[in-house]
Amino acid sequence: MLYLFSMEIIKIHDKSFEPYIEAEQIQQIIQRMASEVAKDMEDTCPLFVSVLNGAFMFASDFVRHYKADCEITFVKLASYQGMQSTEKVVELIGLDIPVEGRDVVVLEDIIDTGNTLEEIYRIFHDKKVKSLRIATLFFKPDAYKKDLKIDYVGQPIPNRFIVGYGLDYDELGRNLPQIYQLNNSITMTNLVLFGKPGAGKGTQAAFLKDKYNLVHISTGDLFRFNIKNETKLGKLAQSYMDKGDLVPDEVTIQMLQQEIENNPKAEGFIFDGFPRTIAQAEALDDFLASKGMKIHGTLALEANDEILIQRLLERGKVSGRTDDQDESKIRNRFVEYNEKTAPLIEFYKKQGKYHGIDGIGTIEEITTRLSNAIDNLK
């Protein structure tokens, strides 16, 4: 069902959306596009092919603004399931009129990954059309994965999920006269988790992930996954590591961005092992802001060094980890942690997002303290 909130925020199913592009602005964009196409189609009668279901409102207004002879027909394709592209396009209804020798202009509501566009090009590959042009009301350049020509773009937009004006979320919202974007700030909880070696950060992250239905993003896990699977970013990271160089921040943040993009329905994220520097924290803030998101709180497990050293030494006897068996190496790790983390503590304190948590006690006691802090954030 569709519900209205104050300040025009709407809710569809379990997601909240905020106003993004007004109805009047949409009409201005379409009028401009119609004029551009008419100029290129001078002295011809183009065939407009509208891609259902999303483009029906766009196609209707487009031909209304088009001031020359034209014809229009429809095809129906499916490329979305909920909020996430299925990466597979299925043709449902094909062309039912001859197109050979015609100037064809395909009207699309939105192009993101390009999967639907690839299917459109496939459809027309053997149709012997005189010309084929693509006109899309919205285009997400950050999500686009194909090397296929797009002739007319109404408005490029960030890689955000939008509804309205023919676009839907699980078939609702198409009838909205303007465009709304997903508002993550209302429902999401994004956390940065700090903790010295031995503070139990990994254990607590696992509990919090399950309790609050969050996605746990560990930079260590991301690096291992990308390198093991020889992804483009993994190969790039490995090239720096092979030379003994540090992997640049931009490579790490791209891995994080990719992981966030892979979880569009997430109710929040726990960032573990990132950021480690002010530059990384600023890059993370900038990226999240571009997605309509933000860090809600930074939780730091605080504990006395001497207690943690004894805890690590005991752990080393069981795990066999050499870095947990040498006290001098452990102390060096603490020095490095303090040096790197101190500026970040000040960074998040200035934002009012830093929360120190007593990290000494049973696992259950520490989980309760962290949960109380998170509940206060929400």
Side-chain angles (χ1 to χ4, degrees):
M1 294 182 66
L2 182 67
Y3 302 93
L4 284 180
F5 286 81
S6 60
M7 299 179 67
E8 294 189 89
I9 290 176
I10 64 171
K11 186 172 183 181
I12 305 177
H13 294 308
D14 60 334
K15 302 296 180 183
S16 296
F17 296 83
E18 61 184 353
Y20 183 39
I21 302 176
E22 295 181 355
E24 183 179 352
Q25 185 179 355
I26 294 173
Q27 294 305 315
Q28 292 172 353
I29 293 170
I30 295 174
Q31 187 173 17
R32 172 181 57 78
M33 292 181 69
S35 296
E36 292 174 357
V37 175
K39 183 178 180 181
D40 291 342
M41 295 287 105
E42 190 174 6
D43 298 326
T44 67
C45 179
L47 172 64
F48 295 122
V49 177
S50 173
V51 181
L52 298 172
N53 289 330
F56 74 97
M57 292 180 73
F58 169 44
S60 174
D61 285 338
F62 184 93
V63 295
R64 184 168 60 85
H65 287 295
Y66 197 80
K67 304 303 182 183
D69 291 338
C70 64
E71 295 180 31
I72 187 166
T73 189
F74 300 87
V75 295
K76 187 172 182 181
L77 307 168
S79 63
Y80 270 95
Q81 183 175 354
M83 296 176 56
Q84 189 172 11
S85 178
T86 65
E87 297 291 336
K88 182 179 181 181
V89 177
V90 179
E91 180 178 340
L92 300 180
I93 300 175
L95 292 172
D96 56 2
I97 62 174
V99 295
E100 184 175 345
R102 299 294 304 272
D103 291 296
V104 174
V105 180
V106 175
L107 301 179
E108 260 280 39
D109 52 348
I110 187 167
I111 294 177
D112 46 21
T113 63
N115 293 329
T116 301
L117 181 60
E118 188 173 57
E119 186 73 7
I120 290 169
Y121 270 98
R122 184 191 65 77
I123 291 172
F124 287 96
H125 179 69
D126 297 320
K127 297 291 185 182
K128 298 181 181 180
V129 298
K130 181 179 179 182
S131 67
L132 176 65
R133 291 176 170 85
I134 307 297
T136 182
L137 180 57
F138 300 114
F139 173 56
K140 297 182 180 180
D142 293 338
Y144 193 56
K145 300 178 180 178
K146 309 297 180 181
D147 187 22
L148 299 170
K149 185 179 181 183
I150 303 172
D151 300 273
Y152 309 98
V153 174
Q155 181 165 320
I157 62 173
N159 191 17
R160 303 175 185 175
F161 190 80
I162 60 174
V163 298
Y165 198 72
L167 293 158
D168 74 298
Y169 171 34
D170 283 347
E171 296 304 326
L172 291 184
R174 295 189 191 276
N175 59 322
L176 296 168
Q178 65 186 62
I179 296 295
Y180 289 78
Q181 65 178 341
L182 181 65
N183 187 329
N184 286 311
S185 62
I186 294 177
T187 58
M188 295 193 83
T189 301
N190 299 315
L191 308 170
V192 173
L193 188 61
F194 288 147
K196 292 180 181 178
K201 181 163 55 72
T203 300
Q204 294 301 329
F207 279 114
L208 298 177
K209 176 187 72 172
D210 293 338
K211 181 172 182 177
Y212 293 98
N213 197 27
L214 306 178
V215 175
H216 179 206
I217 298 183
S218 162
T219 50
D221 291 344
L222 285 181
F223 269 89
R224 284 186 286 272
F225 173 84
N226 280 276
I227 290 173
K228 179 181 178 180
N229 291 278
E230 297 184 339
T231 66
K232 182 179 179 181
L233 289 174
K235 291 178 179 179
L236 182 58
Q238 188 67 61
S239 69
Y240 287 100
M241 296 165 66
D242 289 344
K243 293 183 290 186
D245 296 334
L246 293 174
V247 178
D249 285 351
E250 55 265 28
V251 177
T252 306
I253 194 69
Q254 283 182 55
M255 289 185 184
L256 286 167
Q257 291 173 356
Q258 190 174 74
E259 188 67 10
I260 292 172
E261 297 282 3
N262 289 340
N263 291 277
K265 292 186 178 181
E267 295 183 19
F269 297 90
I270 303 178
F271 297 96
D272 177 1
F274 190 94
R276 293 181 182 271
T277 66
I278 297 295
Q280 289 180 352
E282 292 174 340
L284 180 60
D285 279 355
D286 289 344
F287 172 70
L288 292 178
S290 74
K291 305 290 290 183
M293 299 159 58
K294 66 179 180 179
I295 293 296
H296 294 87
T298 300
L299 307 176
L301 292 173
E302 300 175 340
N304 180 275
D305 285 0
E306 299 306 317
I307 295 177
L308 293 181
I309 288 171
Q310 293 306 311
R311 184 184 293 178
L312 289 172
L313 290 171
E314 289 299 317
R315 186 176 75 178
K317 294 176 183 179
V318 178
S319 67
R321 288 177 52 173
T322 56
D323 58 343
D324 285 347
Q325 297 174 3
D326 188 320
E327 184 174 333
S328 62
K329 290 183 178 179
I330 293 173
R331 292 188 181 277
N332 286 337
R333 286 158 64 190
F334 283 1
V335 170
E336 182 182 10
Y337 175 88
N338 290 332
E339 289 177 350
K340 288 183 176 180
T341 307
L344 284 171
I345 291 174
E346 290 304 312
F347 177 84
Y348 285 113
K349 278 185 175 179
K350 288 179 180 179
Q351 294 185 359
K353 297 177 180 178
Y354 181 83
H355 305 273
I357 307 296
D358 183 1
I360 299 299
T362 65
I363 292 175
E364 293 77 12
E365 288 171 342
I366 298 170
T367 303
T368 298
R369 295 169 195 155
L370 287 165
S371 298
N372 289 339
I374 294 171
D375 291 342
N376 287 331
L377 293 177
K378 293 167 74 68

